[in-house]
Amino acid sequence: MPVVALLGTLDTKGVEYGWLRERLLRRAVEVVLIDTGVAGEPRVPADIPRAEVARAAGADIARLRAQGDRGTAVTTMAEGAAEVVRRLHEQGRLHGVLAIGGSGGTSIATRAMRALPLGVPKLMVSSMAAGDVSPYVGAADIAMMYSVVDIAGVNRVSAPILANAADAIAAMATGFATDAPPPPAEDRPLIAASMAGVTTPGVDAARQRLTELGYEVLVFHSVGSGGRSLETLAAQGMFAGVLDLTLSELADDLVGGTFGAGPDRLRAAGRAGLPQVVSPGALDMVKFGPLAALPERFRSRHVHVHNPSVTVIRTTAAECAALGRQVAEKLRAATGPAALLLPLRGLSTLGAPGGPYHDPSVDEVLFTALREGLRGSRVELAAYDTHLNDPAFGRTAADRLHTLIAANDPARTTR
């Protein structure tokens, strides 16, 4: 029988968790209640077994509660919950996790969920799920469901939402418990690749070439969360190499766009010594949300509506110079082999000849900053008289990465 962990603050949400437990039991799922409450005693019947989180955390929650130190108590509970679910998974007694809550409960539960491996079903029903969920999800495969109303009783609005959540995690847990995951594709070495809609043709050509060469390519969407996930997994040594042809997240962070990935973007592969091939793809733009949400200070720029959800502006020469210096600085710090490939005829579909952002003079400012920043470094630098989305450029980038991987660790290549 699949086992689902119900993870939450039973002192404030005990009634709701009791309702969820009954729903799951009717779906032939075994339930483990994990109490992470910090405000008082659980509001569920005493005869319902519960996992002991405070003991796993190694802290006296009652003492912290008495001292009014809620922040430390919440952090302690989150760490204890992570230890409990990790232990249950290692024992083969966990096939899914479901939690409900507001900001505090979501913080605790998702911290525990992030401690579980990729593929273990994780579902968070939260009043915070309609906003920026990146602090909760991180680089994990956590499904966020908006609760619409706050988690305060089971009523005509919350009942169908909670029922859907329980049914969803029951189905996921059943599948996870009964169906073995597909075997690795002949243990092919993994490659990370960054991509956006405006760099898809070039990255697709590179991906196809790398697949021919015997690699499995994981593509990360360069919208902030994708870049953070790429960096997290690269730091863990999951990849044989990184093909970073889309750096738009750096422009978003520099200028104030919506889809930045933070200051560590383009650092993990270098720190881990992984071979990497990089190109300044999509540094000709900064991405924002819908046009109506574009800040007033950017409305005089060259604005392009990419789709109803994404609006972009063209980067200026000054911004391109700063981006070139930043990319060069990060690549110079790499401890492994790195190559930078410059597509001289454009950095995206918008920046290719005939596109609205095609501006060779501004692109040249970026290229000059990159050349100057890498002068005297160990980073390979090559320029090509083509645009980034030319399939030949993508194949060249793939072949270059294959060569770097083979030279760095021949055992990790397949051909």
Side-chain angles (χ1 to χ4, degrees):
M1 180 180 293
V3 180
V4 169
L6 282 178
L7 176 64
T9 52
L10 302 185
D11 47 4
T12 60
K13 304 289 189 289
V15 171
E16 296 84 350
Y17 272 99
W19 191 92
L20 283 171
R21 178 177 179 271
E22 291 301 317
R23 180 83 179 192
L24 286 168
L25 292 175
R26 292 200 300 271
R27 297 293 179 268
V29 172
E30 183 181 343
V31 179
V32 175
L33 272 177
I34 301 176
D35 181 15
T36 61
V38 298
E41 293 302 314
R43 295 168 54 194
V44 293
D47 60 342
I48 295 178
R50 300 185 300 275
E52 180 57 65
V53 173
R55 187 176 302 162
D60 185 351
I61 296 298
R63 177 179 57 80
L64 293 173
R65 186 188 305 137
Q67 293 173 346
D69 192 353
R70 187 178 186 277
T72 302
V74 167
T75 300
T76 299
M77 277 300 198
E79 294 172 352
E83 176 60 28
V84 169
V85 296
R86 188 186 301 112
R87 188 181 305 157
L88 287 171
H89 176 261
E90 291 173 351
Q91 295 170 350
R93 296 177 52 230
L94 181 68
H95 305 103
V97 180
L98 172 63
I100 58 176
S103 59
T106 303
S107 296
I108 293 171
T110 54
R111 164 67 180 87
M113 292 176 184
R114 292 195 301 272
L116 291 170
L118 185 76
V120 179
K122 314 166 185 72
L123 177 56
M124 180 75 229
V125 182
S126 173
S127 57
M128 309 299 290
D132 179 12
V133 298
S134 57
Y136 304 120
V137 175
D141 57 335
I142 298 173
M144 301 289 293
M145 178 185 289
Y146 183 42
S147 62
V148 182
V149 294
D150 203 355
I151 308 296
V154 180
N155 51 56
R156 69 180 68 183
V157 174
S158 65
I161 294 171
L162 296 179
N164 285 342
D167 293 350
I169 198 66
M172 287 190 281
T174 299
F176 184 77
T178 58
D179 297 333
E186 302 172 359
D187 292 325
R188 291 180 292 167
L190 287 176
I191 299 293
S194 58
M195 188 172 78
V198 294
T199 63
T200 295
V203 177
D204 267 351
R207 178 176 58 83
Q208 291 165 9
R209 176 59 179 152
L210 286 166
T211 301
E212 293 171 1
L213 291 168
Y215 298 95
E216 182 176 359
V217 182
L218 306 184
V219 177
F220 295 85
H221 195 189
S222 297
V223 291
S225 55
R228 289 190 295 272
S229 295
L230 187 158
E231 299 294 321
T232 297
L233 296 176
Q236 295 172 2
M238 177 174 285
F239 307 122
V242 174
L243 187 74
D244 220 343
L245 303 187
T246 311
L247 302 184
S248 56
E249 291 156 321
L250 300 180
D252 283 17
D253 277 322
L254 176 72
V255 182
T258 304
F259 301 99
D264 284 337
R265 183 68 177 90
L266 195 60
R267 290 196 184 277
R271 288 172 175 166
L274 298 177
Q276 57 182 325
V277 169
V278 177
S279 187
L283 285 184
D284 52 1
M285 66 187 69
V286 183
K287 305 188 299 300
F288 295 88
L291 178 60
L294 181 68
E296 187 63 35
R297 67 184 184 277
F298 295 121
R299 291 184 176 270
S300 61
R301 301 275 287 269
H302 191 162
V303 177
H304 177 82
V305 177
H306 183 59
N307 60 47
S309 300
V310 178
T311 304
V312 299
I313 62 172
R314 189 24 163 126
T315 44
T316 65
E319 291 161 356
C320 283
L323 288 166
R325 292 190 293 269
Q326 182 184 143
V327 171
E329 179 270 326
K330 291 181 174 181
L331 290 180
R332 289 182 72 101
T335 60
L340 177 68
L341 310 187
L342 304 181
L344 300 181
R345 290 186 176 270
L347 307 175
S348 68
T349 54
L350 300 182
Y357 284 177
H358 184 59
D359 193 334
S361 63
V362 175
D363 288 348
E364 184 56 36
V365 172
L366 172 65
F367 299 148
T368 298
L370 288 166
R371 292 186 184 103
E372 291 177 351
L374 292 175
R375 186 174 291 122
S377 73
R378 296 184 299 108
V379 179
E380 297 179 22
L381 180 61
Y384 298 87
D385 188 26
T386 184
H387 60 85
L388 182 124
N389 285 316
D390 187 323
F393 181 81
R395 290 192 294 270
T396 296
D399 286 337
R400 190 73 206 117
L401 181 60
H402 177 61
T403 300
L404 292 181
I405 294 171
N408 188 62
D409 185 1
R412 297 200 73 169
T413 59
T414 58
R415 297 186 184 181

